[in-house]
Amino acid sequence: MDEKTLIHQISALVDDEHKLRTQLQAGKITEDEEHERLRTIEEQLDQLWDLLRRRRAAKLQGVAPDQVEAHGVDEVEHYLQ
């Protein structure tokens, strides 16, 4: 997956976040539905942002970005800050 594709996927997920909030305000979904869907979207966003950062770091180090693989959601969500 190249950087352009990653950025496109990130943008699509952010759009999905906005749509969910709009649907909640319009009463089309419940808060529970919004929270569950948002949690999934946020996990996917964290995973994509992580991959994008690591691909950029690899490129700066002279390593082919295509050699960088995505970490699992569990790993990304449990990074130490």
Side-chain angles (χ1 to χ4, degrees):
M1 181 179 322
D2 63 6
E3 186 169 318
K4 185 177 178 179
T5 302
L6 282 169
I7 291 171
H8 177 72
Q9 287 185 347
I10 289 168
S11 179
L13 287 169
V14 170
D15 288 344
D16 288 348
E17 277 185 320
H18 293 184
K19 287 175 190 173
L20 283 173
R21 290 192 170 98
T22 300
Q23 288 174 343
L24 177 65
Q25 290 175 350
K28 294 180 180 178
I29 60 173
T30 67
E31 276 190 44
D32 289 340
E33 289 172 314
E34 183 217 24
H35 289 307
E36 181 60 31
R37 289 180 181 171
L38 281 177
R39 185 182 59 77
T40 300
I41 288 171
E42 288 168 356
E43 289 173 347
Q44 292 172 332
L45 279 170
D46 289 347
Q47 189 179 28
L48 289 171
W49 278 116
D50 174 69
L51 179 57
L52 182 61
R53 283 190 296 271
R54 290 186 310 104
R55 285 178 56 92
R56 288 177 174 173
K59 187 175 180 180
L60 288 174
Q61 294 174 2
V63 176
D66 290 336
Q67 292 180 350
V68 177
E69 294 183 14
H71 286 156
V73 170
D74 285 339
E75 184 174 356
V76 173
E77 291 300 308
H78 295 101
Y79 281 150
L80 295 177
Q81 296 294 321

